[in-house]
Amino acid sequence: MRIVSLLPSTTEILFAVGAGDDVVGVTFECNHPPEARRRRIVSTSSMPEGLTPAAIDAHVAAAVARGEDLYRLDAGALADLDADLVVTQDLCAVCAIDVTLVDDALAHLGCTADVLTLDPHTLDDVLASVLRLGEATGRLPAAQGLVADLRRRLDVVREGVARAADRPRVVVLEWTDPPYAPGHWIPEMVTLAGGECVLGVAGEKSTRVPWSAVLDARPDVVVVAPCGYDRAGAQAQADALVAAGTLPDGVLVHAVDADAMWARPGPRLVDGIEELAGVLRRHRDEARGTQEV
């Protein structure tokens, strides 16, 4: 089987279930595992490089308003690869190439590849997508084993959280300029990690909010998780927010590898939950110690 993956998350899943050797085409963002970088790139971004978060938001809003695509599909590369299966998404036009572009390109090329479209909104949806990819690629037993291990790890976190006396109030910033409250699986991640997600709704889209909403939420912890940024990029934005006095006084600010463990609907979401559970546990311990003193 010859597979083209148009999502970084599905590329990760395909390699994780043992179908990596079948992957012949990927996007410019497919960087995990490292060997994925050696596959032919068939999708790139139309966004200029070096933009600030505010400029990125403005560029995306303007492009969407004009009906322009944010990604470019290399139809020639797609034709050369002669794929049997193309994996794409129908979740977010800002995150990856739109499925309609893929369908149109395949029809134009006369390509008969099967198109598997994934649209996860919750953690259960993400795990279900692992099974769908396993089934589509003939790796269902491996996919089932992966899902079972991820659920086991989530159970360990859940058991640890069950013993906690309280739940810190958590604001996750999916973007910082302007601020965006989280949606999709991220509020679930906070809940599973032992926090109370005080902005954003599980299973829904992320939403732009004013800074006053962040302050009014009275968070104990602010998780800086700007979509598409690694930990260093998120840390730089977190540091800027702290230096500017934008966040509430005394709040714990934690920057995460959003690109790897929060924004991509793949196995590493569980890594993000485990990390946040540790952060919130330490926050509770420190708060308890302060109260005792």
Side-chain angles (χ1 to χ4, degrees):
M1 176 175 284
R2 297 173 62 81
I3 305 170
V4 170
S5 172
L6 298 177
L7 291 168
S9 58
T10 56
T11 299
E12 293 186 25
I13 294 170
L14 288 165
F15 275 85
V17 300
D21 288 343
D22 294 336
V23 176
V24 294
V26 297
T27 80
F28 74 106
E29 294 178 306
C30 293
N31 55 11
H32 185 84
E35 52 263 42
R37 295 178 181 271
R38 296 195 289 269
R39 303 310 192 261
R40 185 163 179 181
I41 294 176
V42 300
S43 174
T44 57
S45 174
S46 62
M47 188 179 303
E49 295 183 0
L51 298 181
T52 65
I56 290 173
D57 180 75
H59 177 87
V60 169
V64 171
R66 293 191 299 265
E68 296 178 358
D69 298 315
L70 294 168
Y71 293 86
R72 301 188 186 98
L73 180 64
D74 186 340
L78 192 59
D80 291 344
L81 291 173
D82 191 25
D84 302 301
L85 176 66
V86 177
V87 185
T88 184
Q89 58 95 38
D90 194 22
L91 176 66
C92 175
V94 177
C95 297
I97 196 162
D98 190 89
V99 64
T100 57
L101 293 178
V102 179
D103 290 337
D104 291 346
L106 293 177
H108 176 73
L109 296 169
C111 180
T112 59
D114 292 327
V115 178
L116 176 59
T117 303
L118 300 177
D119 189 24
H121 286 74
T122 67
L123 281 172
D124 277 343
D125 290 345
V126 173
L127 297 180
S129 69
V130 175
L131 298 177
R132 288 186 65 192
L133 281 168
E135 185 174 17
T137 59
R139 269 83 174 182
L140 185 56
Q144 290 171 329
L146 175 58
V147 169
D149 182 62
L150 293 172
R151 289 195 180 279
R152 177 193 60 77
R153 290 167 59 190
L154 290 173
D155 286 341
V156 171
V157 175
R158 192 178 288 110
E159 290 170 4
V161 168
R163 297 189 292 269
D166 61 339
R167 287 180 170 266
R169 297 171 62 83
V170 179
V171 164
V172 179
L173 296 176
E174 274 202 61
W175 201 252
T176 61
D177 191 9
Y180 272 73
H184 300 120
W185 47 83
I186 288 181
E188 290 181 86
M189 293 175 67
V190 173
T191 300
L192 284 167
E196 178 187 356
C197 191
V198 292
L199 282 182
V201 179
E204 301 294 334
K205 292 182 178 180
S206 59
T207 55
R208 182 172 178 171
V209 296
W211 279 113
S212 60
V214 176
L215 298 176
D216 291 344
R218 297 179 292 106
D220 302 302
V221 178
V222 172
V223 176
V224 181
C227 183
Y229 283 84
D230 60 12
R231 193 181 301 275
Q235 187 64 61
Q237 294 185 41
D239 292 343
L241 292 175
V242 172
T246 305
L247 299 176
D249 292 336
V251 68
L252 172 64
V253 181
H254 181 69
V256 300
D257 188 342
D259 195 35
M261 294 187 281
W262 289 77
R264 295 182 181 181
R268 290 190 290 171
L269 292 180
V270 177
D271 295 355
I273 294 169
E274 291 170 336
E275 177 185 324
L276 182 59
V279 170
L280 298 183
R281 181 172 59 252
R282 291 191 295 273
H283 173 77
R284 286 192 296 267
D285 291 344
E286 291 172 2
R288 187 181 306 113
T290 300
Q291 291 171 356
E292 290 174 353
V293 171

